[in-house]
Amino acid sequence: MRIILLGAPGAGKGSVGRPLSSQLEIPVISTGDIFRSNISGRTKLGLTAKGYMDRGELVPDGLTVSIVEDRIAQSDCAKGFILDGFPRNTFQASELDRILEKANLKIDLVLNVHLSDERIIQRLSSRMVCSSCGESYNRMSKDTSMPGICDLCGGRVSVREDDAPETVRKRLETYYLQTMPLIDFYRERGILSTIDNDCTIEEGSKRALEAVRNALPDHMSGHGRL
Ligand code: ADP
Ligand code: ZN
């Protein structure tokens, strides 16, 4: 199954994506995580991406599209994948169509993860992220067991630089201008499903799984793991 997670920054795409990935046994491809790991590895790509990310802007399409194209072609994506943070504008969406058409593949479901601006700003102001595995924590609702140490991998957990209030405002603006039009783009194709994510992480992942079930052809959802 091939899934796109759509939603504003901080709406909870990552928290919804991780459990889906383990239940469906397909990888999550997060362009933001790929950029961040390149920033910590001090690669040329990381250096380029950092400037845009710190300003709350999109990294140029050419770079982003070729990263996704290479990643999708890897063998662990053969059974499917979950795209988190891509596509983020209509150009990236048409490029994704082009890439998938070449391989005779298609997107099965676009999961639109919805949260109000007010809740997004609240959540991002208390968010902490593991710099090694990307797991999210929250000082208010889901703290680490040991201060600053990731429960999953022992990595360092800290505030993301682009979660500073000024940058969050800019990221939301970028979302409304460039990414939100994709909601209609995919709704018109009949593959959009929206979940309200103003709930616990467990409830959000239940809602997501339900949307996945509804998108599966009948013969696949009736029995088996799902
Ligand atoms: P969030 O969804 O919370 O904003 P991400 O980790 O998905 O966080 O993205 C962080 C930043 O990485 C974005 O603000 C943007 O600068 C860059 N980025 C991520 N995905 C893309 C993309 N598909 N195209 C361009 N830039 C991207
Ligand atoms: Zn970790």
Side-chain angles (χ1 to χ4, degrees):
M1 187 162 202
R2 280 168 292 271
I3 301 172
I4 292 173
L5 297 176
L6 206 60
K13 299 184 294 293
S15 308
V16 158
R18 262 181 290 274
L20 272 189
S21 163
S22 53
Q23 269 148 341
L24 302 172
E25 296 177 6
I26 51 178
V28 176
I29 302 173
S30 158
T31 41
D33 283 352
I34 294 173
F35 292 138
R36 276 185 292 279
S37 73
N38 275 275
I39 291 173
S40 9
R42 296 175 198 283
T43 68
K44 194 163 159 264
L45 168 66
L47 207 66
T48 309
K50 189 171 184 335
Y52 296 96
M53 291 171 76
D54 287 350
R55 289 191 299 271
E57 296 168 8
L58 296 186
V59 176
D61 290 335
L63 273 178
T64 311
V65 170
S66 67
I67 287 170
V68 172
E69 182 162 21
D70 291 347
R71 183 65 190 86
I72 286 177
Q74 285 169 26
S75 59
D76 64 330
C77 293
K79 278 201 309 173
F81 49 76
I82 300 168
L83 288 173
D84 169 356
F86 183 92
R88 246 179 161 88
N89 59 27
T90 50
F91 179 75
Q92 293 181 5
S94 63
E95 285 292 284
L96 179 62
D97 281 344
R98 181 186 59 78
I99 292 165
L100 293 177
E101 268 163 28
K102 266 200 303 192
N104 230 327
L105 302 172
K106 62 173 182 46
I107 295 295
D108 303 292
L109 171 68
V110 177
L111 196 58
N112 179 33
V113 181
H114 182 265
L115 191 67
S116 69
D117 280 6
E118 194 189 351
R119 299 283 293 123
I120 284 172
I121 291 166
Q122 270 174 9
R123 281 190 192 172
L124 290 185
S125 64
S126 49
R127 171 161 87 167
M128 313 269 287
V129 177
C130 173
S131 56
S132 304
C133 74
E135 178 73 350
S136 271
Y137 296 91
N138 193 295
R139 281 193 295 268
M140 313 305 281
S141 56
K142 183 195 166 210
D143 213 341
T144 52
S145 310
M146 278 185 289
I149 310 284
C150 178
D151 290 2
L152 297 185
C153 78
R156 207 167 51 84
V157 172
S158 55
V159 173
R160 245 171 67 174
E161 258 175 70
D162 60 348
D163 282 345
E166 261 316 298
T167 320
V168 167
R169 266 190 288 279
K170 177 67 192 180
R171 281 159 63 204
L172 280 172
E173 190 187 309
T174 304
Y175 166 76
Y176 282 115
L177 286 172
Q178 304 203 46
T179 313
M180 213 167 75
L182 294 181
I183 295 179
D184 282 339
F185 179 89
Y186 289 117
R187 183 185 288 125
E188 279 160 23
R189 278 196 198 175
I191 54 173
L192 188 88
S193 174
T194 298
I195 60 165
D196 172 9
N197 203 27
D198 194 358
C199 55
T200 61
I201 291 179
E202 292 70 33
E203 177 59 27
S205 80
K206 260 193 224 158
R207 292 176 186 178
L209 195 62
E210 190 56 36
V212 168
R213 272 205 200 96
N214 290 334
L216 284 171
D218 286 345
H219 67 278
M220 286 176 71
S221 54
H223 49 83
R225 283 197 321 276
L226 294 178

